[in-house]
Amino acid sequence: MEAEWTEEAIQRITTENTTLKQRVRRLTADTRTLDERLKAARSNLRFQDRRLADLEAQLAEPGPAT
């Protein structure tokens, strides 16, 4: 199927393509940022879990006799 493209159609498609490429770049950057934040949150959670376990162990230890 052969189609003739008008200058207006070519310009519209080019503009849309540019817009979509910019959106892909922005979404890729957003994904990278969210991935870094997720990794940091997971690391923070692991630290908090260890801290909680330490505190629970301290509570379970018998205290000095008075």
Side-chain angles (χ1 to χ4, degrees):
M1 181 172 169
E2 229 176 88
E4 290 191 28
W5 296 89
T6 65
E7 186 64 34
E8 182 181 313
I10 292 170
Q11 182 61 40
R12 181 183 53 80
I13 291 169
T14 301
T15 301
E16 186 175 334
N17 188 43
T18 300
T19 301
L20 289 172
K21 286 179 179 180
Q22 290 171 347
R23 187 169 182 209
V24 166
R25 280 193 293 274
R26 187 171 51 250
L27 290 171
T28 299
D30 290 349
T31 298
R32 191 176 308 117
T33 299
L34 289 171
D35 187 52
E36 290 169 2
R37 288 176 63 191
L38 179 59
K39 286 177 185 175
R42 286 178 174 159
S43 175
N44 203 13
L45 181 60
R46 283 190 300 271
F47 173 80
Q48 293 299 328
D49 282 345
R50 285 191 301 270
R51 178 72 177 127
L52 181 59
D54 290 345
L55 291 172
E56 287 173 340
Q58 287 177 13
L59 286 174
E61 291 175 1
T66 54

